[in-house]
Amino acid sequence: LPDSGFDPAEVHYAAVWKPHPGELAAFPNLRVIFNLGAGVDALMADASLPDVPLVRVAVADLTDRMTEYVVLHVLMHHRQELYLRQSQREQRWAPKFQWAANALTVGIMGLGTLGESAGLALRRLGFRVVGWSRSARQIDGVDCFAGAAGFAPFLQRTNILVCLLPLTPDTRHILDRDVFAMLNRDSPLGAPVLINAGRGGLQNEADILSALDDGTLGAASLDVYETEPLPQDSPFWSHPRVVLTPHNAADTDPDEISKYVAQQIVRFEAGGALENLVNRTRGY
């Protein structure tokens, strides 16, 4: 921070996570800003952000942890864990038929580094996987859809919807009732499932709750929320069809991030290119 006993003019690199608006403008000689996570929406909202390269952290550690989270929650719903835990609490021995992974199609919204890794892991487990992104992608074993024209066909194939999109003006509240109503209901799940490990601003929380209550959605795993920490009076805490986690899907080892930032600075100082540059027009 500028009042921490050093000259702000001597600071050339900033490694930040959700700084206060205007905070980075206090450093007149910044060369690069490193965002200590995958989502840059907080920085994009700062109108005074210095016009220097913006790099998002994309280390293998973060990618692997997000893949773990997605696979865990897809398997949880596939293997009927909500029903089985309820049966355990009620001391009720009542197994149901368990279908194979290839009976379900998992749809991944967002096919960047995180989405591609999760999709490939799910394919190896036997799930059918489709994906949607703003621009066209090709991933082995994944049926990829793109743009506005591909959105409805993607949803119509999807039984479990995994959202890993960045938060931009175009994606805010994209997870709404209209989207849930287009999801495929023709699977052993009975009703589609939502998994959001992207950003809280992607979801219309009132729509999620009403869709869960009327059967449009069968269940939801949520790691992110419009307000964090999640308020104590949120219905998500106690909803029987919600699996709630406290925005920890992809906590990353600080040592791995530090190495990544240091390597980028060394390369940049030597005249090399920065990796994972954010396109400010797109917002990711």
Side-chain angles (χ1 to χ4, degrees), residues 36-48:
L36 301 180
V40 296
D41 43 284
L43 290 176
M44 292 293 93
D46 183 357
S48 68

Side-chain angles (χ1 to χ4, degrees), residues 3-269:
D3 59 355
S4 298
F6 57 83
D7 183 358
E10 295 180 355
V11 175
H12 294 156
Y13 302 97
V16 300
W17 179 245
K18 294 187 176 180
H20 296 300
E23 208 162 31
L24 289 170
F27 301 100
N29 295 316
L30 276 185
R31 296 175 186 168
V32 182
I33 299 168
F34 295 94
N35 189 64
L36 301 180
V40 296
D41 43 284
L43 290 176
M44 292 293 93
D46 183 357
S48 68
L49 193 69
D51 187 18
V52 300
L54 174 58
V55 173
R56 56 184 175 76
V57 167
V59 295
D61 181 67
L62 185 153
T63 302
D64 291 345
R65 293 181 193 223
M66 182 61 83
T67 295
E68 288 177 4
Y69 182 92
V70 171
V71 170
L72 169 68
H73 285 265
V74 168
L75 286 173
M76 188 183 308
H77 297 290
H78 159 57
R79 296 293 308 208
Q80 306 178 80
E81 277 294 302
L82 292 179
Y83 168 76
L84 293 171
R85 290 317 112 225
Q86 183 63 32
S87 297
Q88 179 181 354
R89 287 189 293 272
E90 296 172 1
Q91 297 179 291
R92 181 165 45 91
W93 186 279
K96 289 183 176 181
F97 171 75
Q98 180 58 55
W99 51 86
N102 64 14
L104 298 180
T105 298
V106 181
I108 300 178
M109 293 175 71
L111 293 176
T113 303
L114 301 180
E116 179 175 357
S117 175
L120 292 173
L122 291 165
R123 279 288 300 131
R124 288 195 294 272
L125 289 171
F127 292 97
R128 302 189 303 249
V129 181
V130 297
W132 179 83
S133 54
R134 173 173 155 166
S135 52
R137 294 290 311 276
Q138 283 191 317
I139 302 171
D140 285 346
V142 177
D143 288 345
C144 297
F145 297 83
F151 194 46
F154 159 76
L155 294 172
Q156 289 160 3
R157 291 268 300 275
T158 296
N159 306 129
I160 298 178
L161 179 65
V162 176
C163 187
L164 297 174
L165 289 172
L167 179 59
T168 70
D170 289 337
T171 62
R172 182 170 293 278
H173 293 165
I174 193 171
L175 298 174
D176 62 10
R177 174 168 285 280
D178 290 343
V179 161
F180 307 147
M182 280 192 278
L183 293 171
N184 186 290
R185 307 182 67 82
D186 184 21
S187 86
L189 287 171
V193 170
L194 169 67
I195 299 172
N196 184 17
R199 281 284 181 266
L202 298 168
Q203 63 198 24
N204 181 320
E205 297 186 344
D207 280 8
I208 292 174
L209 286 164
S210 66
L212 287 167
D213 289 341
D214 68 16
T216 301
L217 286 175
S221 286
L222 304 176
D223 186 56
V224 290
Y225 312 91
E226 283 268 30
T227 301
E228 295 181 4
L230 186 64
Q232 289 295 306
D233 61 356
S234 170
F236 287 139
W237 286 108
S238 57
H239 199 289
R241 286 181 291 283
V242 171
V243 180
L244 181 157
T245 53
H247 201 154
N248 71 337
D251 283 348
T252 307
D253 183 348
D255 289 343
E256 291 296 319
I257 291 182
S258 299
K259 282 188 249 178
Y260 172 86
V261 171
Q263 288 165 356
Q264 287 257 43
I265 290 173
V266 168
R267 189 184 306 118
F268 183 71
E269 293 272 1

